[in-house]
Amino acid sequence: MKLSNLWHRIIILPDHTHAALGKLPLLATASYVLFGLLFYTWSARKEGESFSLKRALKSLFPADLYLHPSSKLDLLVFPLTVGLPIALTAVGFTSLLWTGETVRSWLQATMGASALAISSGWVATTLQFAVVFLAMDFANFMYHYLFHKVPFLWRIHRVHHSAEVLTPLTRWRFHPVEVVLELSFKGPFAGIITGAVLYLFGTKVSTSATVIVAAMSVAFEGTFFFRHSHIWVSYGRLASRLLCSPCMHQIHHSIDPKHWDKNFGLMLSIWDYLFGSRHIPEGREQLQFGINSEEIGERNPHSSFAGALLEPVATAIPRRNASLLRNPAADPFGP
Ligand SMILES: [Zn+2]
Ligand SMILES: [Zn+2]
């Protein structure tokens, strides 16, 4: 059986969503270049400079960043995780739909119908859409939070944080174990929340609402490239109270202890606010990226491909040892 046929059998999203997912890497790259050029034009105008394509491309793809040893590892890991955004979207939303409807029908069978019965009309449609969106974004936050706060998960997630320069390729820099765990966690976690909340409102988990949220997350993929780049993109202080600006994720990668364990969110920044981990910058901050100031340069444990794959597993043997955390003093599961 061809891989694409197998993919269609497993993933229940409609054909047009499959087609959009297939074009995702191309669309995301095109949106990075397009928005990057627009951004450059805007900055050049502000500085009173005339537009130059050569200068624009140099500013979008600076050679020192792309030739940095850290970028070399991004490139080596890329073939292992290239399908990550597509798999996360397709598998994530399919498992959300399946788990959500299973949980909702189980609750209905064991506890009877909810007193609220908002089964149709625009209120039901809005609820179905909002609950899927919020549940998936919260699942994204929670998965990232756990990968920082649980010692053996942090050892695995460190591969993403050992990047010393951020380029769009860093978006794919994850240990394969993290990819598998992420895929297994997000959809079912969001599905349980979606099923339980929609049961209370007396409405179903809607396939079309789920597909719309999946399509939105595909469109949002373009901003990932700015999250992992040298370009500082802020939505402003007010909008950042609701949304995660790309620069807020750059702060998440900073080696400065005051930035550790901040800004775990993906689309919304409200989860970080609720968990006390939100950091909205006042203005542009000068950042150095990496795990910490010790494990950097020649002491970076992931300076080679073998190191990046083996060091996390060798040090991640599941155990409760807060000293393995980036910030042991802030261990939320400690005594
Ligand atoms: Zn992180
Ligand atoms: Zn990142």
Side-chain angles (χ1 to χ4, degrees), residues 144 157 160-161 166 170-171 174 227-228 249 252-253:
H144 196 180
H157 185 58
H160 186 60
H161 281 270
L166 300 185
T170 318
R171 188 263 174 275
F174 287 101
R227 286 159 71 93
H228 300 105
H249 189 71
H252 179 74
H253 278 269

PDB file of all heavy atoms in Angstrom, residues 144 157 160-161 166 170-171 174 227-228 249 252-253, ligand 2:
ATOM      1  N   HIS A 144       4.069  21.742  26.585  1.00  0.00           N
ATOM      2  CA  HIS A 144       5.333  22.474  26.663  1.00  0.00           C
ATOM      3  C   HIS A 144       5.717  22.718  28.125  1.00  0.00           C
ATOM      4  O   HIS A 144       6.880  22.568  28.522  1.00  0.00           O
ATOM      5  CB  HIS A 144       5.191  23.796  25.899  1.00  0.00           C
ATOM      6  CG  HIS A 144       6.497  24.454  25.583  1.00  0.00           C
ATOM      7  ND1 HIS A 144       6.583  25.635  24.916  1.00  0.00           N
ATOM      8  CD2 HIS A 144       7.778  24.097  25.862  1.00  0.00           C
ATOM      9  CE1 HIS A 144       7.857  25.975  24.789  1.00  0.00           C
ATOM     10  NE2 HIS A 144       8.602  25.056  25.357  1.00  0.00           N
ATOM     11  N   HIS A 157      13.657  17.725  25.965  1.00  0.00           N
ATOM     12  CA  HIS A 157      13.299  19.009  25.326  1.00  0.00           C
ATOM     13  C   HIS A 157      14.520  19.917  25.159  1.00  0.00           C
ATOM     14  O   HIS A 157      14.503  20.851  24.350  1.00  0.00           O
ATOM     15  CB  HIS A 157      12.228  19.687  26.183  1.00  0.00           C
ATOM     16  CG  HIS A 157      11.666  20.959  25.603  1.00  0.00           C
ATOM     17  ND1 HIS A 157      11.056  21.015  24.375  1.00  0.00           N
ATOM     18  CD2 HIS A 157      11.641  22.239  26.086  1.00  0.00           C
ATOM     19  CE1 HIS A 157      10.668  22.260  24.127  1.00  0.00           C
ATOM     20  NE2 HIS A 157      11.017  23.028  25.147  1.00  0.00           N
ATOM     21  N   HIS A 160      15.866  21.114  21.772  1.00  0.00           N
ATOM     22  CA  HIS A 160      15.297  22.308  21.129  1.00  0.00           C
ATOM     23  C   HIS A 160      15.984  23.574  21.675  1.00  0.00           C
ATOM     24  O   HIS A 160      16.207  24.533  20.935  1.00  0.00           O
ATOM     25  CB  HIS A 160      13.800  22.346  21.376  1.00  0.00           C
ATOM     26  CG  HIS A 160      13.092  23.452  20.643  1.00  0.00           C
ATOM     27  ND1 HIS A 160      13.100  23.547  19.269  1.00  0.00           N
ATOM     28  CD2 HIS A 160      12.373  24.520  21.078  1.00  0.00           C
ATOM     29  CE1 HIS A 160      12.421  24.616  18.899  1.00  0.00           C
ATOM     30  NE2 HIS A 160      11.978  25.238  19.971  1.00  0.00           N
ATOM     31  N   HIS A 161      16.314  23.544  22.969  1.00  0.00           N
ATOM     32  CA  HIS A 161      16.872  24.741  23.615  1.00  0.00           C
ATOM     33  C   HIS A 161      18.379  24.881  23.464  1.00  0.00           C
ATOM     34  O   HIS A 161      18.918  25.933  23.792  1.00  0.00           O
ATOM     35  CB  HIS A 161      16.488  24.762  25.099  1.00  0.00           C
ATOM     36  CG  HIS A 161      15.085  25.235  25.302  1.00  0.00           C
ATOM     37  ND1 HIS A 161      14.767  26.552  25.483  1.00  0.00           N
ATOM     38  CD2 HIS A 161      13.911  24.556  25.311  1.00  0.00           C
ATOM     39  CE1 HIS A 161      13.454  26.674  25.608  1.00  0.00           C
ATOM     40  NE2 HIS A 161      12.908  25.473  25.507  1.00  0.00           N
ATOM     41  N   LEU A 166      18.779  31.108  16.239  1.00  0.00           N
ATOM     42  CA  LEU A 166      17.435  30.695  15.831  1.00  0.00           C
ATOM     43  C   LEU A 166      17.242  31.010  14.354  1.00  0.00           C
ATOM     44  O   LEU A 166      17.372  32.165  13.938  1.00  0.00           O
ATOM     45  CB  LEU A 166      16.366  31.425  16.655  1.00  0.00           C
ATOM     46  CG  LEU A 166      16.388  31.227  18.173  1.00  0.00           C
ATOM     47  CD1 LEU A 166      15.186  31.920  18.814  1.00  0.00           C
ATOM     48  CD2 LEU A 166      16.381  29.753  18.548  1.00  0.00           C
ATOM     49  N   THR A 170      15.096  25.827  13.084  1.00  0.00           N
ATOM     50  CA  THR A 170      15.049  25.454  14.511  1.00  0.00           C
ATOM     51  C   THR A 170      13.641  24.995  14.900  1.00  0.00           C
ATOM     52  O   THR A 170      13.466  24.287  15.891  1.00  0.00           O
ATOM     53  CB  THR A 170      15.489  26.650  15.391  1.00  0.00           C
ATOM     54  OG1 THR A 170      16.620  27.276  14.791  1.00  0.00           O
ATOM     55  CG2 THR A 170      15.839  26.221  16.794  1.00  0.00           C
ATOM     56  N   ARG A 171      12.649  25.395  14.120  1.00  0.00           N
ATOM     57  CA  ARG A 171      11.266  24.960  14.377  1.00  0.00           C
ATOM     58  C   ARG A 171      11.177  23.425  14.391  1.00  0.00           C
ATOM     59  O   ARG A 171      10.343  22.832  15.042  1.00  0.00           O
ATOM     60  CB  ARG A 171      10.365  25.566  13.295  1.00  0.00           C
ATOM     61  CG  ARG A 171       8.888  25.389  13.507  1.00  0.00           C
ATOM     62  CD  ARG A 171       8.337  24.215  12.756  1.00  0.00           C
ATOM     63  NE  ARG A 171       6.937  23.972  13.074  1.00  0.00           N
ATOM     64  CZ  ARG A 171       6.553  23.251  14.109  1.00  0.00           C
ATOM     65  NH1 ARG A 171       7.423  22.756  14.948  1.00  0.00           N
ATOM     66  NH2 ARG A 171       5.256  23.028  14.315  1.00  0.00           N
ATOM     67  N   PHE A 174      13.892  19.028  17.249  1.00  0.00           N
ATOM     68  CA  PHE A 174      13.359  18.317  18.413  1.00  0.00           C
ATOM     69  C   PHE A 174      13.933  16.913  18.433  1.00  0.00           C
ATOM     70  O   PHE A 174      14.206  16.330  17.368  1.00  0.00           O
ATOM     71  CB  PHE A 174      11.829  18.220  18.345  1.00  0.00           C
ATOM     72  CG  PHE A 174      11.129  19.522  18.618  1.00  0.00           C
ATOM     73  CD1 PHE A 174      10.633  20.291  17.577  1.00  0.00           C
ATOM     74  CD2 PHE A 174      10.984  19.987  19.910  1.00  0.00           C
ATOM     75  CE1 PHE A 174      10.003  21.501  17.816  1.00  0.00           C
ATOM     76  CE2 PHE A 174      10.360  21.197  20.165  1.00  0.00           C
ATOM     77  CZ  PHE A 174       9.858  21.948  19.115  1.00  0.00           C
ATOM     78  N   ARG A 227       9.046  33.054  15.056  1.00  0.00           N
ATOM     79  CA  ARG A 227       9.370  32.663  16.444  1.00  0.00           C
ATOM     80  C   ARG A 227      10.819  32.189  16.498  1.00  0.00           C
ATOM     81  O   ARG A 227      11.525  32.449  17.443  1.00  0.00           O
ATOM     82  CB  ARG A 227       8.451  31.518  16.902  1.00  0.00           C
ATOM     83  CG  ARG A 227       7.025  31.942  17.215  1.00  0.00           C
ATOM     84  CD  ARG A 227       6.089  30.751  17.162  1.00  0.00           C
ATOM     85  NE  ARG A 227       6.247  29.815  18.248  1.00  0.00           N
ATOM     86  CZ  ARG A 227       5.556  29.836  19.379  1.00  0.00           C
ATOM     87  NH1 ARG A 227       4.663  30.772  19.569  1.00  0.00           N
ATOM     88  NH2 ARG A 227       5.733  28.926  20.306  1.00  0.00           N
ATOM     89  N   HIS A 228      11.231  31.439  15.469  1.00  0.00           N
ATOM     90  CA  HIS A 228      12.611  30.947  15.408  1.00  0.00           C
ATOM     91  C   HIS A 228      13.338  31.712  14.306  1.00  0.00           C
ATOM     92  O   HIS A 228      13.487  31.214  13.189  1.00  0.00           O
ATOM     93  CB  HIS A 228      12.626  29.440  15.137  1.00  0.00           C
ATOM     94  CG  HIS A 228      11.920  28.652  16.197  1.00  0.00           C
ATOM     95  ND1 HIS A 228      10.684  28.098  16.005  1.00  0.00           N
ATOM     96  CD2 HIS A 228      12.270  28.371  17.474  1.00  0.00           C
ATOM     97  CE1 HIS A 228      10.307  27.498  17.118  1.00  0.00           C
ATOM     98  NE2 HIS A 228      11.247  27.644  18.032  1.00  0.00           N
ATOM     99  N   HIS A 249       8.459  34.040  22.044  1.00  0.00           N
ATOM    100  CA  HIS A 249       9.071  32.707  21.998  1.00  0.00           C
ATOM    101  C   HIS A 249      10.597  32.828  21.942  1.00  0.00           C
ATOM    102  O   HIS A 249      11.311  31.972  22.469  1.00  0.00           O
ATOM    103  CB  HIS A 249       8.550  31.896  20.812  1.00  0.00           C
ATOM    104  CG  HIS A 249       8.996  30.461  20.877  1.00  0.00           C
ATOM    105  ND1 HIS A 249       8.484  29.573  21.807  1.00  0.00           N
ATOM    106  CD2 HIS A 249       9.931  29.765  20.185  1.00  0.00           C
ATOM    107  CE1 HIS A 249       9.084  28.391  21.665  1.00  0.00           C
ATOM    108  NE2 HIS A 249       9.975  28.488  20.683  1.00  0.00           N
ATOM    109  N   HIS A 252      11.673  32.902  25.275  1.00  0.00           N
ATOM    110  CA  HIS A 252      11.634  31.542  25.831  1.00  0.00           C
ATOM    111  C   HIS A 252      12.969  30.819  25.593  1.00  0.00           C
ATOM    112  O   HIS A 252      13.354  29.950  26.373  1.00  0.00           O
ATOM    113  CB  HIS A 252      10.482  30.774  25.174  1.00  0.00           C
ATOM    114  CG  HIS A 252      10.362  29.366  25.636  1.00  0.00           C
ATOM    115  ND1 HIS A 252       9.867  29.017  26.873  1.00  0.00           N
ATOM    116  CD2 HIS A 252      10.708  28.201  25.032  1.00  0.00           C
ATOM    117  CE1 HIS A 252       9.903  27.706  27.008  1.00  0.00           C
ATOM    118  NE2 HIS A 252      10.410  27.178  25.902  1.00  0.00           N
ATOM    119  N   HIS A 253      13.682  31.169  24.525  1.00  0.00           N
ATOM    120  CA  HIS A 253      14.962  30.519  24.192  1.00  0.00           C
ATOM    121  C   HIS A 253      16.173  31.203  24.836  1.00  0.00           C
ATOM    122  O   HIS A 253      17.299  30.739  24.650  1.00  0.00           O
ATOM    123  CB  HIS A 253      15.162  30.521  22.668  1.00  0.00           C
ATOM    124  CG  HIS A 253      14.444  29.408  21.966  1.00  0.00           C
ATOM    125  ND1 HIS A 253      15.028  28.181  21.724  1.00  0.00           N
ATOM    126  CD2 HIS A 253      13.189  29.323  21.477  1.00  0.00           C
ATOM    127  CE1 HIS A 253      14.154  27.390  21.089  1.00  0.00           C
ATOM    128  NE2 HIS A 253      13.034  28.067  20.923  1.00  0.00           N
TER     129      HIS A 253
HETATM  130 ZN    ZN B   2      11.306  27.161  20.082  1.00  0.00          ZN
END
